[in-house]
Amino acid sequence: MTYISKEEKKIPINDPTGKWSDLTLLPEWQEKYYDVYTVRKHGKWVMLKALKKEYADDPKYREMLEREFDTRYNLAHPNIVMVNDLEDVPGVGLSIITDDVYGYSLRRLIDEKRLTPRIVHRLETQLLDAMEYIQENHIVHRPISPETIIFTEYNENLKLIDVGYAQAEQLSTKDTRDDIRSYGKVVGEVLKHLPTSMPRLRKISERCQSDSSPYHTITDLQLAMERDKSKPLYIFLSIFIIIMGALLVYLSLKY
């Protein structure tokens, strides 16, 4: 099951069929209208996203949950947690059923000082890939944060746990900018907790959050990331070419 926080709470579940068991509330991912759980379905761990009790019987909020299911069910990306079904769960109600992720949230890794170079690299690559996919599919969603990012236990692959409320015909400039700003905030918080300075990534994080000269698209951000990574190689190659050129001139004059 997903390892999430010391505050997770086991909840008794009354299911005579034996289909559901080991229901556990995950407070770290609570939202205004939803609760998130892990549970065994036929013995296999899955995750549930369900309306809080005070909203569960309201047709407006049930429609909102169903609309989110319709949006997320059609998404397929290796760095986004897959949605499997929508069904009533005893003691919980109508729930979006997703794959479980064996791992830890970025929030927990930050709090427990367990960040690694691989995690930083995943933020530079896999998180941007997932965000690009979300924007290409015009998904309107709440801000990406350390709470909604999971790293798998063994290979530290990144998974977004919650990505979509609705699919729009076209994302607005504000939607795109909000995504980029969220990315900058996530990376900025990670950088504050690293034992080493990373000026290249810090500069990118600050520009993501800038109002005066921000990146306009995820593609712009990805290109900037690649350019900055390539600078040391370009410098090395330039110096090498200059040295070789000087050597050839010297040899031609000598002989």
Side-chain angles (χ1 to χ4, degrees):
M1 62 177 291
T2 305
Y3 308 107
I4 199 64
S5 92
K6 296 176 182 177
E7 298 177 358
E8 61 186 18
K9 179 183 177 185
K10 292 279 187 182
I11 299 173
I13 185 167
N14 182 20
D15 179 22
T17 68
K19 178 179 178 180
W20 304 96
S21 61
D22 297 317
L23 180 67
T24 305
L25 176 66
L26 303 177
E28 185 167 350
W29 282 324
Q30 286 187 89
E31 304 174 28
K32 182 176 181 181
Y33 303 111
Y34 302 109
D35 285 324
V36 178
Y37 306 82
T38 57
V39 68
R40 288 184 189 269
K41 179 183 180 183
H42 295 303
K44 177 185 175 181
W45 285 107
V46 296
M47 298 185 73
L48 309 179
K49 181 174 182 179
L51 291 166
K52 292 179 181 293
K53 300 299 182 185
E54 57 267 36
Y55 305 111
D57 296 323
D58 189 318
K60 179 177 70 173
Y61 294 106
R62 287 176 67 89
E63 181 184 353
M64 182 173 68
L65 183 70
E66 291 169 359
R67 188 166 60 246
E68 178 173 346
F69 168 76
D70 289 339
T71 299
R72 295 179 63 186
Y73 188 71
N74 292 310
L75 299 180
H77 190 278
N79 302 118
I80 297 174
V81 173
M82 293 291 294
V83 169
N84 300 323
D85 211 341
L86 180 72
E87 57 184 296
D88 278 297
V89 178
V92 176
L94 189 65
S95 305
I96 295 174
I97 317 294
T98 75
D99 289 345
D100 194 13
V101 181
Y102 292 79
Y104 302 88
S105 71
L106 179 58
R107 168 60 61 211
R108 182 167 178 176
L109 294 173
I110 290 172
D111 292 345
E112 296 181 358
K113 297 180 173 57
R114 295 168 54 197
L115 297 171
T116 67
R118 182 177 289 181
I119 285 173
V120 176
H121 179 65
R122 300 293 196 233
L123 293 173
E124 294 178 277
T125 54
Q126 293 182 347
L127 179 54
L128 286 179
D129 287 345
M131 292 174 67
E132 181 183 39
Y133 177 81
I134 290 168
Q135 290 198 355
E136 286 176 346
N137 284 275
H138 307 154
I139 304 300
V140 180
H141 59 93
R142 70 190 182 103
I144 292 169
S145 69
E147 288 77 15
T148 61
I149 299 170
I150 299 178
F151 289 92
T152 56
E153 184 174 16
Y154 298 109
N155 53 17
E156 294 180 335
N157 278 326
L158 182 146
K159 298 281 186 179
L160 283 179
I161 189 65
D162 192 3
V163 296
Y165 289 136
Q167 192 164 26
E169 289 188 11
Q170 189 70 39
L171 291 183
S172 68
T173 302
K174 181 181 182 303
D175 291 330
T176 305
R177 281 288 303 119
D178 285 348
D179 258 2
I180 294 172
R181 186 175 287 107
S182 295
Y183 178 82
K185 288 180 179 179
V186 168
V187 172
E189 183 171 357
V190 167
L191 291 174
K192 290 178 184 176
H193 293 84
L194 291 178
T196 181
S197 174
M198 301 184 71
R200 175 189 65 82
L201 196 54
R202 190 176 304 280
K203 179 181 176 182
I204 289 175
S205 168
E206 289 172 352
R207 184 173 173 185
C208 284
Q209 301 174 71
S210 168
D211 290 325
S212 57
S213 58
Y215 299 106
H216 297 291
T217 66
I218 297 294
T219 301
D220 290 342
L221 178 50
Q222 289 171 317
L223 290 173
M225 196 78 75
E226 290 302 316
R227 279 198 303 270
D228 281 4
K229 283 182 183 177
S230 303
K231 279 182 182 178
L233 177 61
Y234 288 142
I235 292 171
F236 172 78
L237 289 175
S238 298
I239 294 173
F240 177 77
I241 291 170
I242 290 170
I243 292 173
M244 292 304 296
L247 181 60
L248 289 172
V249 171
Y250 169 76
L251 291 174
S252 64
L253 291 175
K254 184 175 180 179
Y255 297 104

